[in-house]
Structure formats: structure tokens, C-alpha cells
């Protein structure tokens, strides 16, 4: 699901000491996105994995072949994180084998993952109230709990309408930062009615989700309609 925290989770894994240790510091994060520049990705991989002067690749097939040869020659544990992959075809072009070579893929569309016995799928859950409230408060108040002078019930109602989606907690929370009580009331009412709170919300979410609406499955689309963003 868009905005659920896949990139955040993948980046934090790349910075995790235990994960880095397990891969002898060979952890590489690559942003793939909807229309990736494969040549650039292969050049980055060459630079970070092979760590020798890059040959002149004739084309992307040649780059893949040369990288694959290198990976078969070495046995260093390596983790390559492919963030935001949109299609099976691109994923296949970015797939390599090698002793100790592992790939972590993040995607909004699990159907692009061809499962094998060595594949592990993990669906990132939405945040529950215990995690969602501090995140919402952080953006809405600059602190991790509801300030004593705020309307506790109202804050919780608005936060609950973000449905545990980190992106919505951030965009809606920050748009209410410093706003007076009526703005909060208005926000709650509009969220409950299923309308967007303000242009700021709409634009903030739309910017973040620009390319993702078509990729939403029915359940996710419902969630966003509930949020009143579309
Ligand atoms: N666990 C979390 N704690 C705090 N903030 C989070 C968390 N997860 C995500 N966020 C925030 O929510 C926003 C969306 O997260 P992120 O970009 O990781 O989502 P995504 O699943 O990668 O979305 P997309 O499918 O659009 O790439 C970011 O601004 C991020 O900082
Ligand atoms: Mg992402």
C-alpha cells in the first residue's frame, strides 16, 4: 500500500548495525521507481559491489551479464535493496544470483513477485493506535503525546481517521499544526463525511501518491476514499 512505510523500513534496515554486520557492510540501497534508468542502476551496483573501474557497457544486457559474472566469482555476503519496484519485467532485469547475494524488494504490488522456495513475503501492517498516536502528535504538536491543553477526544478522533497509515498521519497531522480548535473540528467532520480537509491535505497526499492511485487494490482505494483524499 502506498505510504505505509516500505521505503522507511528498507532504509532503516540498511542503517541497522546488525543487518550491516550480517552482510559485512555490503548493503546497497537502490531506488528503482516506475521508470528506472537501468544503466545507471547497473553502474551504481558495479561501483558499490565490484569496486573497480567500470567497463564501458555496450547496453543494459551487457551490463547485466558482466555484473552477473562478477557476482558468480565472489562469495561475499551482499544485500541489495530494490526499493519501489513496479513490474515483474523490471524486477527480472534487476535479478542476479551468487553465493551470499540476497535481494530485498519493496513494492506496492505483490503480484510482481514470483515466489520460489527461497522467497519470503512480508506485508507491512498499518500502525496500531499505540504507534499511530505518537506519530500523529509528533506532526500535529511537535511532541509524542497529546498536549494537556488540547481536546484529547477530538485529537484521537482525527488520528483514528488516518487509519494507521503513516503518510496520512504525517500529512494530516502536520496540516493541523498550530491550528485553532475550529480547524480541528472541521477536519474531523470532513474526514467523517469522507471529504478532503483542505487543499493542503489533498495536495500533500496527491503529491506523495501521484502515481499510485491506479496501483491501489480495492481495499486500499476504500481506505483512501475513507480518508477523503480522492
Ligand atoms: N514507522 C514509521 N514511523 C514514522 N514515520 C513513518 C513510518 N513509516 C513511514 N513513515 C512516514 O510516512 C511517509 C510514507 O512512508 P514511505 O515513503 O516509507 O512509504 P512507502 O510505503 O514507501 O510509500 P510508497 O509506496 O509511496 O513508496 C514518510 O514520510 C515516512 O517518513
Ligand atoms: Mg516508497
Amino acid at each position: 500500500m502506498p505510504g505505509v512505510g516500505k521505503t522507511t523500513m528498507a532504509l532503516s534496515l540498511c542503517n541497522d548495525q546488525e543487518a550491516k554486520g550480517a552482510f559485512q557492510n555490503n548493503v546497497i540501497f537502490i531506488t528503482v521507481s516506475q521508470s528506472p534508468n537501468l544503466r545507471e542502476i547497473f553502474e551504481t551496483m558495479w561501483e558499490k559491489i565490484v569496486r573497480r573501474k567500470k567497463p564501458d557497457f555496450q547496453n543494459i544486457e551487457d551490463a547485466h551479464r558482466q555484473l552477473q559474472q562478477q557476482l558468480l566469482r565472489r562469495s561475499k555476503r551482499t544485500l541489495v535493496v530494490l526499493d519501489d519496484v513496479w513490474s515483474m519485467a523490471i524486477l527480472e532485469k534487476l535479478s542476479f544470483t551468487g553465493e551470499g547475494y540476497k535481494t530485498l524488494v519493496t513494492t506496492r504490488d505483490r503480484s510482481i513477485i514470483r515466489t520460489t522456495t527461497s522467497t519470503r513475503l512480508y506485508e507491512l501492517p498499518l500502525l496500531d493506535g499505540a504507534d499511530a498516536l505518537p506519530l500523529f502528535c509528533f506532526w500535529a504538536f511537535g511532541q509524542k503525546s497529546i498536549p494537556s491543553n488540547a481536546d484529547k477526544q477530538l485529537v484521537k478522533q482525527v488520528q483514528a481517521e488516518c487509519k494507521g497509515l503513516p503518510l496520512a498521519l504525517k500529512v494530516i497531522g502536520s496540516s493541523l499544526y498550530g491550528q485553532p480548535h475550529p480547524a480541528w473540528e472541521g477536519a474531523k467532520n470532513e474526514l467523517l463525511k469522507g471529504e478532503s480537509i483542505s487543499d493542503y491535505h489533498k495536495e500533500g497526499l496527491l503529491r506523495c501518491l501521484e502515481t499510485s492511485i491506479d496501483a491501489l487494490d480495492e481495499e486500499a482505494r476504500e481506505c483512501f476514499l475513507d480518508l477523503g483524499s480522492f
Side-chain angles (χ1 to χ4, degrees):
M1 184 189 290
V4 74
K6 301 176 296 295
T7 300
T8 306
M9 174 75 117
L11 278 171
S12 94
L13 180 84
C14 290
N15 290 318
D16 180 77
Q17 287 306 327
E18 202 180 325
K20 285 205 278 197
F23 288 94
Q24 297 154 345
N25 280 329
N26 295 308
V27 178
I28 298 152
F29 181 92
I30 292 170
T31 300
V32 180
S33 77
Q34 197 170 10
S35 329
N37 181 334
L38 292 176
R39 176 179 280 270
E40 225 169 69
I41 291 177
F42 290 142
E43 286 175 357
T44 303
M45 288 178 72
W46 183 278
E47 199 181 292
K48 298 201 167 157
I49 296 173
V50 184
R51 294 182 192 160
R52 270 194 279 114
K53 191 175 175 314
K54 151 188 92 57
D56 282 330
F57 300 129
Q58 285 167 12
N59 48 41
I60 54 169
E61 288 75 24
D62 178 48
H64 186 281
R65 190 181 50 77
Q66 294 209 46
L67 255 171
Q68 180 59 80
Q69 272 175 1
Q70 293 292 329
L71 288 167
L72 288 174
R73 267 189 221 143
R74 69 206 287 281
S75 56
K76 269 193 196 162
R77 292 184 62 77
T78 305
L79 174 66
V80 172
V81 176
L82 301 174
D83 184 50
D84 200 19
V85 181
W86 283 68
S87 77
M88 198 183 268
I90 294 291
L91 185 54
E92 276 171 7
K93 289 194 169 103
L94 290 170
S95 295
F96 294 92
T97 52
E99 207 187 318
Y101 183 88
K102 303 267 185 232
T103 314
L104 186 148
V105 177
T106 81
T107 180
R108 295 170 186 170
D109 179 5
R110 69 152 57 195
S111 72
I112 69 158
I113 308 285
R114 214 192 288 276
T115 46
T116 66
T117 47
S118 58
T119 310
R120 302 276 178 280
L121 286 177
Y122 177 67
E123 189 159 346
L124 209 51
L126 292 167
L127 300 181
D128 63 19
D131 287 328
L133 186 62
L135 182 57
F136 182 74
C137 288
F138 175 79
W139 291 108
F141 306 112
Q143 61 182 62
K144 290 189 176 167
S145 56
I146 304 175
S148 52
N149 60 347
D151 180 337
K152 209 168 188 170
Q153 206 199 345
L154 181 56
V155 173
K156 284 191 171 175
Q157 281 174 318
V158 175
Q159 172 253 302
E161 287 307 308
C162 297
K163 313 284 186 196
L165 187 73
L167 179 63
L169 291 158
K170 180 175 176 175
V171 172
I172 293 175
S174 54
S175 73
L176 288 168
Y177 184 86
Q179 293 296 314
H181 192 268
W184 281 81
E185 274 293 345
K188 181 197 76 180
N189 293 335
E190 291 195 38
L191 277 171
L192 288 171
K193 268 197 298 186
E195 287 171 16
S196 68
I197 301 171
S198 67
D199 285 349
Y200 179 81
H201 285 137
K202 207 172 187 170
E203 290 199 351
L205 280 168
L206 275 175
R207 232 187 352 264
C208 298
L209 302 172
E210 223 165 16
T211 47
S212 41
I213 302 160
D214 292 345
L216 294 174
D217 63 20
E218 209 171 312
E219 195 187 339
R221 212 185 292 261
E222 287 275 307
C223 179
F224 283 101
L225 287 171
D226 282 350
L227 273 168
S229 308
F230 303 108

